[in-house]
Amino acid sequence: MALSKPVTGLPDSQITTLAKIDQWKPIDNIRTLVFFIVRQSLNEDVLRTSLDRLIRHHLPILGARIKPTGKNGALEYHQPKAFADGYALFKWSGVAVQSKLGEFLRLLDTSRPKEAIISDSSVPEIEAKLIPSGWPVERKYERPDSPLLFVHLIHYNDATVVEMNLPHAVADMMGFASVVRAWMQVVRNEVPTPFLELVPGALDGPADLPVADLRKKGSFRLTSKMDRLQVAGGFAPEIIKQPKEDRRTLFFPTPVIDALRTRLDKSLKAKHGPETPSLTNGDILSGLIVKLNNLHRKSPKMLSLSEAITLRGRHPALPSERPYLHNAIAFSVARLFISRETPLEEIAYRHQLALTEAKNPANIDRSLAVTREMFNTGQSIHICEPFQLSHSVTNWTGAWREIDFSAAAANSGTESTGTANGTTAQAPPLVIGHALERGGTPCRFNTQIMCKAEGGYWCDFATSKKNMALIKKFFKSDPSLQTLADQQTDIELA
């Protein structure tokens, strides 16, 4: 957050200007919706009163309101110095459904640990079934004096869905998760770990970087109007030829990803030497996503594969042991020619190299400076070069580690494992979410790896209808995906 000042004419409130990294386009309008599917009955009263205590006594910024100001509509928090009786810290609702979760909501059958699966439903379809009417799904739909945080619980006979809705301008996904962890600390009658508050400009990046550095091609960078027109021109032929998209949830079992990683690691070390860093499951997942999204592509075309990385534990102002609420991300960019023949090994390896480079302190500073100038110039993010392709991956799996709602269990009769403090611990919740622009924006050029739960990784994935048919055909022929680890990866599907 940036400068804090008293509100003129409103002696009981305080204004805090949002940091530039918290309000550049399009996150200034996005609301992040997250659905925690907990295979347990939860005590709604305990959850609601604990959230009230968290905001009132430990995280009062969540009780503020966001309002635009000035000619450019820059965002400000308007936070009461004291919360009066009747003031809405958050919007809460709940409903009980007399059925099992699976009777109401179609989720994937993950009982086959060696088979990748394509769901019959998409995240927007799941969202439409779960959210209460009147929820603002973007900031532009908020009513006057709307609270920042909306929470809705659905109680099923065998599960509880905890739904949360918070502006992206308030928190990235790591910050969102830190709110949930602090909330559960209050449920357990613990004092939450204090959140970091940064000095104004701490994440603005260096002010003296040359313009040439901020416009460095092939990276997360500032672009000209002509650049942006030419980027759109690169996508236009494909969208015109294949205008219809198919958006589904993909499930990759952990044993499938582990097996691919083991095989590709062995191959890479044989090629580049034993000191080659090992691939991660994230490298394999990003590689799979790009590979599958281009099964239709017979001729190679240059692609920028970008991924958001958290700065927690990587920037001097953000020690990993302290939670930080707000946005703190930089971007990696891997560039390679992509077609159906591009080996999965090559995509995963390039992804790993790009992540390593992006975590360099100088590159983090540069990324922050670009973000600052994108806000100053009103640009919206799209990491792509003119007349080429792009794919953006966001991996949320690290955010949900140690998220555990079991302290709010309505009873202790559900299957669980004991913990040191005497409560019971459930397996990590299944997390479904949406943190994208809505409307007519194509979804086929970005993917969210939403969580690792119930035996594997859940991804919000979109592609053209033509390409989705090829993916289904491939999954049917090789549900373990292990042929993708072979050096000859030309997939004859068309």
Side-chain angles (χ1 to χ4, degrees):
M1 293 184 295
L3 298 177
S4 180
K5 58 186 178 181
V7 182
T8 303
L10 297 173
D12 295 330
S13 297
Q14 179 174 290
I15 284 180
T16 305
T17 306
L18 275 70
K20 294 178 179 181
I21 197 173
D22 288 323
Q23 54 174 320
W24 58 310
K25 297 182 183 302
I27 68 171
D28 59 337
N29 182 52
I30 292 172
R31 268 188 166 268
T32 302
L33 275 64
V34 178
F35 309 97
F36 298 95
I37 298 174
V38 183
R39 307 290 187 175
Q40 197 170 21
S41 296
L42 300 181
N43 188 317
E44 185 168 335
D45 289 339
V46 168
L47 287 169
R48 184 175 57 250
T49 57
S50 296
L51 184 59
D52 185 285
R53 287 163 52 203
L54 171 68
I55 297 175
R56 194 176 299 277
H57 302 297
H58 305 286
L59 204 53
I61 193 66
L62 285 183
R65 304 292 188 259
I66 287 181
K67 300 181 183 296
T69 184
K71 294 182 179 180
N72 66 350
L75 302 179
E76 297 176 333
Y77 289 113
H78 288 234
Q79 179 185 331
K81 292 182 179 178
F83 296 122
D85 292 342
Y87 180 86
L89 294 176
F90 50 85
K91 174 69 173 177
W92 186 281
S93 56
V95 64
V97 178
Q98 296 305 316
S99 69
K100 292 184 176 181
L101 175 66
E103 297 171 4
F104 178 80
L105 192 67
R106 287 187 304 167
L107 295 173
L108 292 168
D109 177 7
T110 61
S111 61
R112 292 166 292 183
K114 295 184 179 181
E115 296 185 14
I117 307 170
I118 303 174
S119 76
D120 293 330
S121 60
S122 66
V123 168
E125 290 169 342
I126 294 171
E127 175 187 282
K129 286 189 172 185
L130 293 177
I131 66 171
S133 61
W135 257 29
V137 296
E138 291 182 296
R139 286 196 57 254
K140 65 183 180 183
Y141 298 127
E142 294 174 359
R143 295 177 179 177
D145 200 41
S146 176
L148 299 180
L149 179 61
F150 288 69
V151 181
H152 180 69
L153 264 62
I154 305 181
H155 301 274
Y156 297 94
N157 293 343
D158 60 345
T160 307
V161 180
V162 180
E163 308 175 20
M164 300 179 70
N165 177 342
L166 185 68
H168 201 327
V170 175
D172 59 17
M173 207 57 83
M174 293 293 288
F176 202 122
S178 70
V179 171
V180 179
R181 277 190 289 271
W183 183 14
M184 293 305 104
Q185 285 180 295
V186 176
V187 168
R188 297 192 297 268
N189 291 315
E190 299 171 4
V191 177
T193 305
F195 280 66
L196 281 168
E197 289 291 342
L198 302 186
V199 298
L203 298 181
D204 277 357
D208 57 351
L209 285 181
V211 173
D213 285 358
L214 302 180
R215 295 184 176 273
K216 180 182 176 184
K217 290 188 177 182
S219 67
F220 172 50
R221 69 180 183 96
L222 295 178
T223 55
S224 66
K225 289 183 179 179
M226 182 57 70
D227 287 334
R228 295 191 287 278
L229 285 172
Q230 291 176 339
V231 164
F235 286 87
E238 186 158 330
I239 294 175
I240 292 171
K241 188 176 180 180
Q242 298 289 336
K244 294 184 178 180
E245 290 188 341
D246 200 351
R247 187 171 175 182
R248 304 292 184 93
T249 303
L250 301 188
F251 177 76
F252 298 107
T254 302
V256 168
I257 301 302
D258 288 344
L260 285 170
R261 190 193 69 241
T262 299
R263 290 183 64 189
L264 296 183
D265 257 342
K266 183 178 179 180
S267 176
L268 284 170
K269 291 181 187 299
K271 286 182 180 180
H272 302 290
E275 301 304 316
T276 304
S278 296
L279 296 172
T280 67
N281 281 8
D283 296 322
I284 301 300
L285 287 163
S286 292
L288 273 174
I289 287 162
V290 172
K291 177 75 175 180
L292 294 172
N293 204 35
N294 289 275
L295 291 185
H296 66 292
R297 195 173 307 285
K298 297 180 181 180
S299 300
K301 191 169 182 178
M302 180 60 72
L303 175 137
S304 294
L305 168 59
S306 61
E307 183 157 341
I309 63 169
T310 182
L311 300 184
R312 294 160 179 83
R314 298 188 175 112
H315 189 279
L318 296 170
S320 58
E321 66 271 12
R322 291 282 300 279
Y324 180 67
L325 175 62
H326 306 293
N327 290 274
I329 54 175
F331 297 92
S332 69
V333 184
R335 288 176 50 74
L336 70 162
F337 283 100
I338 191 72
S339 74
R340 62 166 53 176
E341 297 183 23
T342 308
L344 173 61
E345 174 185 295
E346 179 69 11
I347 308 171
Y349 182 53
R350 294 288 193 92
H351 177 266
Q352 180 203 63
L353 294 177
L355 280 180
T356 300
E357 182 180 6
K359 294 170 187 177
N360 181 288
N363 289 327
I364 287 174
D365 282 345
R366 182 190 163 281
S367 186
L368 290 172
V370 170
T371 301
R372 179 197 69 226
E373 292 306 313
M374 292 190 81
F375 168 79
N376 288 339
T377 57
Q379 292 190 30
S380 182
I381 183 173
H382 185 182
I383 302 175
C384 186
E385 293 302 320
F387 302 114
Q388 297 178 6
L389 296 173
S390 70
H391 201 98
S392 173
V393 175
T394 306
N395 190 335
W396 300 341
T397 57
W400 314 127
R401 293 181 186 131
E402 301 176 2
I403 295 294
D404 181 7
F405 285 88
S406 60
N411 57 67
S412 58
T414 53
E415 183 178 348
S416 59
T417 57
T419 62
N421 62 5
T423 62
T424 57
Q426 285 285 104
L430 170 59
V431 184
I432 304 294
H434 193 297
L436 297 173
E437 288 186 278
R438 297 171 185 263
T441 304
C443 295
R444 71 184 78 173
F445 307 115
N446 58 70
T447 300
Q448 284 66 51
I449 305 170
M450 296 182 290
C451 68
K452 179 183 181 184
E454 302 189 356
Y457 298 88
W458 299 67
C459 303
D460 179 10
F461 176 86
T463 191
S464 68
K465 282 190 172 293
K466 175 184 177 181
N467 194 63
M468 187 64 80
L470 297 178
I471 296 173
K472 290 179 178 179
K473 187 175 181 180
F474 175 62
F475 276 26
K476 186 175 181 179
S477 67
D478 180 19
S480 73
L481 311 183
Q482 294 307 301
T483 56
L484 294 179
D486 298 335
Q487 289 304 301
Q488 298 298 321
T489 60
D490 186 12
I491 303 171
E492 295 295 339
L493 293 170

